[in-house]
């Protein structure tokens, strides 16, 4: 069942989402050569708790950390550790925060110092593919419309779509129904209704879209070690479109 959120629930989801957005803004200046992902994780956890929230991912199905930090060819679910970021790296940071039982979920990929043209390309077009997907959202549209738009955009830019991982509904659980794939066919899948809240999160690759899972059972990496980027917003379906919940409070981001 896909739940329809009340106005009050959407307000709580927006507060949680805004804390996720603020955490991204807070972390960004720290994403530099020399910092470890564990240090970023501590900064994020302290910040989220200082805002009256709890980290959504810590303890979720046994995940050990506040952030998912995925470097270069790592796609998602990287566990913060003692590795230092290096000039030229790209790092996808996925953040979840819970406010009064309601979650926000948003990922962004960051450049560490000067990055290659390939890295710039995968970042730019994965971010654009997120907004191409979001544009499809309105009451009466199908979930498949979102994935089809992202897949078409990725194919037009010669990028791979990771298919094993998908977006999802968001509410009192960080992962709810429905699945929101980054591929699909228009006119298929559940129909969107006002009050649904979903996270759209394209994960694109510069090479093969095939993935492998590390022995830690979490970190997912491209099979051919090609670069990957990940951008995600949690959004509410509105009367005539969608509203980003994991942005600033003026709703413009
Ligand atoms: Mg996420
Ligand atoms: Mg998500």
């Amino acid at each position: 069942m896909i739940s329809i959120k009340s106005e009050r629930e959407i307000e709580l989801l927006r507060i949680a989402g805004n804390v996720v957005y603020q955490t991204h803004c807070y972390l960004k200046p720290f994403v530099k050569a020399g910092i470890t992902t564990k240090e970023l994780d501590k900064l994020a956890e302290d910040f989220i708790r200082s805002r009256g929230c709890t980290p959504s991912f810590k303890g979720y199905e046994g995940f050990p950390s506040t952030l998912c930090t995925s470097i270069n060819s790592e796609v998602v679910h990287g566990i913060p550790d003692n590795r230092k970021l290096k000039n030229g790296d790209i790092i996808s940071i996925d953040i979840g925060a819970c406010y009064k039982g309601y979650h926000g979920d948003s990922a962004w990929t960051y450049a560490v110092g000067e990055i290659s043209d390939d890295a710039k390309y995968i970042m730019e077009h994965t971010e654009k593919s997120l907004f191409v997907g979001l544009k499809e959202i309105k009451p009466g549209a199908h979930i498949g419309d979102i994935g089809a738009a992202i897949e078409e955009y990725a194919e037009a830019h010669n990028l791979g779509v990771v298919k094993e991982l998908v977006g999802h509904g968001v509410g009192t659980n960080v992962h709810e129904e429905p699945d929101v794939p980054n591929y699909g066919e228009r006119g298929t899948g559940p129909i969107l209704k006002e009050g649904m809240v979903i996270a759209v999160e394209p994960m694109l690759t510069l090479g093969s879209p095939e993935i492998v899972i590390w022995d830690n059972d979490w970190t997912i990496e491209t099979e051919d070690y090609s670069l990957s980027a990940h951008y995600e917003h949690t959004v509410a379906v509105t009367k005539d479109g969608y509203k980003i919940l994991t942005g600033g409070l003026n709703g413009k981001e």
Side-chain angles (χ1 to χ4, degrees):
M1 242 257 319
I2 305 172
S3 67
I4 302 290
K5 274 76 179 182
S6 67
E7 263 180 52
R8 180 190 145 269
E9 288 182 298
I10 287 178
E11 179 58 16
L12 293 169
L13 288 160
R14 191 182 68 106
I15 293 170
N18 178 253
V19 169
V20 171
Y21 169 74
Q22 286 183 48
T23 311
H24 273 291
C25 296
Y26 171 71
L27 284 183
K28 193 173 179 189
F30 292 102
V31 180
K32 282 191 176 141
I35 196 163
T36 69
T37 46
K38 214 171 194 168
E39 286 166 335
L40 289 173
D41 191 66
K42 171 87 170 86
L43 288 166
E45 178 167 2
D46 290 349
F47 185 88
I48 287 168
R49 292 192 190 282
S50 79
R51 292 296 189 274
C53 292
T54 52
S56 298
F57 305 153
K58 198 168 189 174
Y60 181 82
E61 291 182 1
F63 189 77
S65 310
T66 292
L67 300 178
C68 299
T69 51
S70 308
I71 301 169
N72 296 330
S73 54
E74 295 159 36
V75 180
V76 285
H77 302 168
I79 298 175
D81 59 19
N82 291 318
R83 282 181 297 168
K84 288 184 171 151
L85 296 182
K86 298 188 304 292
N87 201 26
D89 284 342
I90 60 172
I91 177 173
S92 300
I93 299 181
D94 198 348
I95 307 178
C98 181
Y99 179 73
K100 295 190 176 171
Y102 288 83
H103 296 270
D105 185 9
S106 173
W108 221 251
T109 301
Y110 297 93
V112 182
E114 261 314 296
I115 59 171
S116 67
D117 287 345
D118 276 354
K120 283 180 193 158
Y121 185 85
I122 184 81
M123 284 177 63
E124 177 188 342
H125 292 296
T126 307
E127 181 179 353
K128 282 190 177 149
S129 79
L130 167 62
F131 290 92
V132 162
L134 292 178
K135 235 192 224 167
E136 299 290 326
I137 298 175
K138 59 176 186 275
H142 288 74
I143 287 286
D145 301 347
I146 302 170
I150 292 170
E151 190 176 29
E152 283 160 17
Y153 185 90
E155 278 175 3
H157 292 85
N158 252 321
L159 296 171
V161 176
V162 174
K163 296 210 164 82
E164 289 83 350
L165 297 144
V166 295
H168 49 90
V170 181
T172 51
N173 290 299
V174 69
H175 294 138
E176 297 187 350
E177 286 182 55
D179 282 351
V180 184
N182 299 303
Y183 58 92
E185 299 211 5
R186 288 178 192 280
T188 65
I191 295 173
L192 295 172
K193 295 191 180 111
E194 185 179 358
M196 287 181 181
V197 173
I198 57 173
V200 179
E201 49 179 316
M203 291 150 256
L204 304 187
T205 65
L206 209 48
S208 164
E210 301 303 320
I211 53 165
V212 293
I213 304 180
W214 288 14
D215 287 344
N216 66 15
D217 285 337
W218 281 108
T219 312
I220 289 178
E221 185 169 28
T222 55
E223 189 183 54
D224 63 358
Y225 304 112
S226 64
L227 290 176
S228 176
H230 180 207
Y231 289 81
E232 174 184 32
H233 267 312
T234 302
V235 307
V237 182
T238 59
K239 190 162 53 86
D240 48 10
Y242 68 93
K243 180 166 75 176
I244 292 175
L245 301 178
T246 40
L249 286 177
N250 65 9
K252 293 247 170 67
E253 289 81 9

